[in-house]
Structures are given as structure tokens and as C-alpha cells.
Amino acid sequence: MFDDLDIFATVVEQSSLNRASRLLNVSQPALSRKIAKLEERLGVTLFARQGKRLELTEVGRLTYTYALEQRQQRAKFLETLSRFRQGEPLLLTLGASLTTLQTTLPPLVHAYMDKYPAAELKLITGKTHEIVSSVAEGRYDVGIIASATREPGLRCIPLFEDQLRLVVAGHHPLTAVPALTMEHLHRQPMILFSKGTWYRRMTDELFQRSGIEPDVRMEIDSFEAIVRLLPTIKAAALLPKSYLRPELLTSGGLASLHIKELEQTQRSTCLIYRDGPLSAAARSLVQVTEEVFPGGSRPLG
């Protein structure tokens, strides 16, 4: 029936049995029989015949819409089948924490799609524990998280080390302090990550250990939003060093400041995947990740 639907769609598009028969290389009587057979199988009338003119009935218009959908689905299937024969990755589901979305993913996704332009990449963001559980349960092929994990059944490959830095506007008073310590952040207006995020838990623990109570003005998940707001509300923020590219600091009029206690926030951004046979898509992403981050360590666990 699907071939008959495609023939029906061609007749509709040509607005003539004669033109459609020439295009399909089928005689006009044979084409008429195919349309009549389709109407018989569906139990409806697709065309209202006005002499030599063919006008779609209401159900004919509905059938034409369905025929187009089937044509598109078939084309997509054949394209996917072709990629499968060529051994290219088909579909990859990648889970990423919000922080890695803004630091690690852009160069990795660019490199992956550049090498495998026909790949279909589905990206899902969430909190670190959500990504870990989704990869462990097989809902995601791979994940990238801003911390190491020793979850049973997962392979965890550290990609690079990172730590937090204090970021302020270039004209902020803290830029004139010669030796910053955590005490300088007591009652300091700050923008922090939203509660429940891995970074927020880490900074809260750091503040608690240091006996510091910052003046929290805003709680935001987006690095970009934090960077844009810092000069406006004259606040400070703790952002990962990996995000603070020189061009970002220069264009935003920002300064990245070192505090020795922030070395305690050292952590590894890691690639995680299930321990066992991987799909072609997952294997290809692991390979590209190793190329983009050649300094990565051996798997943990």
C-alpha cells in the first residue's frame, strides 16, 4: 500500500493522470486502476472527478498529508540505512552536567560532528547524579560530568583537572588586594550557582570550612549570565578556570583572581560510559574525546 500512496501523492502533485503516468512511466489506464485499487482498499473516495479534472476530497487531502509523511519517513530510513552500511555512527545520546555544557562540550561536539557529519547527536543536560544514573542504567550512551565517580559498572576517564577562581569586574576593589584570602569573601556580595548543583555544594562546603558567610545576591546556573551580571551588580563569583578563556575576560572587562584556599576545589572533568561492549556511536565519541583531550588519565574504578 505504501507504494500506492506514493503514486497517489505523485498524481496529486501533477494534478493530472496523464502527466503523472508519464513521470511514473506507467500507462494511464494502469495508473487509474492503481488509484481505484487504493480507494477500494481504504474504503473511501480520494478524488472528486469533474470530467478530466481531479479534485481531492476531504479524506483525499488527509490521505495526501499521510502519504507525504510516509515519503519523508522512508527517505530518512534509507538515509540512516545507508549510513549504517558505511559503518558511520547512527545515534548517540550524550548526557552532560550543566557546568560541562558550558566548558567542555562546545569543542568536543564541534570535533565530533566535524569528523562524523552524518551522526545524530542527542544531548540531554542535568545534574551530575542524574547523568551518572542514566548512563549506568543505559538510558544515555555516554556522559560528561564535572567530577569523578566510582559507580559500579561504569568506566570513568578523567579528561582534565580544574579548579575555581574568583572572578570580578576589572575595577572591583578586590583587584587591588595584594594577597587575597577566603576572609576577603566574608559578607562579600556574590553570585553563586543554584542550590542542588555540584558546584554549589562544593562552594558551600568551602565557605563552611573557612567560616565564611558571603552576601548571596543571586543564584544562577548559567556561567554566561553570571559573567554578564558581575559588572552590573558589583559582585564576585567563583567560576571554573577552564571556562575563563583570556578573550572572555578581556571582552567582559573581568579579572580572574587566585586564592590559595580555592586549590581545595580541584576536581576532574570526566567522561563516563558503561563497562562492556559499546555501540559504534559511543566508541567513536570516546575516540574523539581522547583526541580533543589527549592529556586525559587512565580510567578510574
Side-chain angles (χ1 to χ4, degrees):
M1 185 178 74
F2 293 116
D3 287 339
D4 291 340
L5 283 172
D6 199 34
I7 290 172
F8 163 71
T10 301
V11 172
V12 174
E13 290 157 359
Q14 295 300 312
S15 301
S16 163
L17 281 171
N18 188 34
R19 286 194 294 270
S21 67
R22 291 198 301 268
L23 182 63
L24 296 170
N25 196 26
V26 177
S27 68
Q28 186 170 332
L31 186 57
S32 296
R33 287 195 296 271
K34 285 182 177 293
I35 296 299
K37 183 178 178 181
L38 178 62
E39 289 180 319
E40 181 180 349
R41 293 180 65 183
L42 295 176
V44 296
T45 300
L46 300 174
F47 291 106
R49 294 163 175 81
Q50 304 292 336
K52 293 185 177 181
R53 292 175 52 198
L54 294 177
E55 294 184 1
L56 281 174
T57 61
E58 182 177 353
V59 71
R61 288 190 292 271
L62 177 64
T63 305
Y64 176 60
T65 299
Y66 178 72
L68 291 182
E69 293 173 352
Q70 291 299 314
R71 180 188 288 174
Q72 293 168 356
Q73 287 296 323
R74 182 168 60 180
K76 184 177 180 181
F77 168 73
L78 292 176
E79 180 185 354
T80 302
L81 191 61
S82 175
R83 293 201 303 269
F84 180 80
R85 288 172 180 154
Q86 296 169 11
E88 292 190 12
L90 297 179
L91 175 63
L92 176 73
T93 302
L94 170 63
S97 60
L98 292 172
T99 48
T100 60
L101 173 66
Q102 300 172 83
T103 57
T104 311
L105 274 185
L108 177 58
V109 170
H110 177 78
Y112 181 70
M113 297 308 297
D114 185 57
K115 189 169 184 177
Y116 300 100
E120 295 183 24
L121 179 62
K122 182 178 182 180
L123 174 63
I124 304 176
T125 61
K127 294 182 173 62
T128 295
H129 71 276
E130 296 171 341
I131 303 301
V132 171
S133 61
S134 293
V135 174
E137 294 167 8
R139 294 196 298 273
Y140 303 164
D141 295 299
V142 293
I144 299 180
I145 56 177
S147 61
T149 180
R150 295 185 181 274
E151 182 78 13
L154 288 185
R155 293 175 68 86
C156 179
I157 301 180
L159 303 179
F160 61 88
E161 297 298 314
D162 205 357
Q163 65 182 57
L164 294 178
R165 299 273 294 189
L166 180 67
V167 184
V168 296
H171 53 75
H172 195 283
L174 289 179
T175 59
V177 178
L180 284 171
T181 66
M182 288 297 294
E183 284 70 23
H184 289 98
L185 301 185
H186 189 65
R187 301 300 182 186
Q188 170 67 42
M190 297 193 71
I191 304 177
L192 300 183
F193 294 99
S194 298
K195 293 180 179 178
T197 60
W198 185 85
Y199 268 110
R200 179 59 183 271
R201 290 197 300 272
M202 181 172 61
T203 53
D204 283 350
E205 291 171 2
L206 178 65
F207 289 140
Q208 186 176 12
R209 286 196 304 270
S210 304
I212 302 302
E213 294 183 7
D215 179 7
V216 182
R217 298 294 178 87
M218 294 184 179
E219 298 174 317
I220 304 175
D221 284 331
S222 169
F223 290 164
E224 182 179 358
I226 292 175
V227 164
R228 289 179 177 273
L229 287 167
L230 284 177
T232 304
I233 66 173
K234 300 177 182 179
L238 296 176
L239 296 175
K241 184 179 179 181
S242 60
Y243 180 71
L244 302 174
R245 303 178 301 278
E247 60 271 21
L248 174 70
L249 296 172
T250 301
S251 63
L254 302 173
S256 173
L257 307 177
H258 177 70
I259 297 179
K260 185 172 180 56
E261 290 93 332
L262 291 182
E263 295 175 3
Q264 301 173 27
T265 64
Q266 185 96 355
R267 58 95 175 100
S268 298
T269 290
C270 298
L271 176 76
I272 59 173
Y273 53 90
R274 297 180 78 182
D275 191 6
L278 295 176
S279 65
R283 287 197 306 272
S284 66
L285 182 67
V286 171
Q287 179 184 4
V288 171
T289 304
E290 292 173 346
E291 295 170 358
V292 175
F293 302 101
S297 306
R298 299 177 63 182
L300 302 175

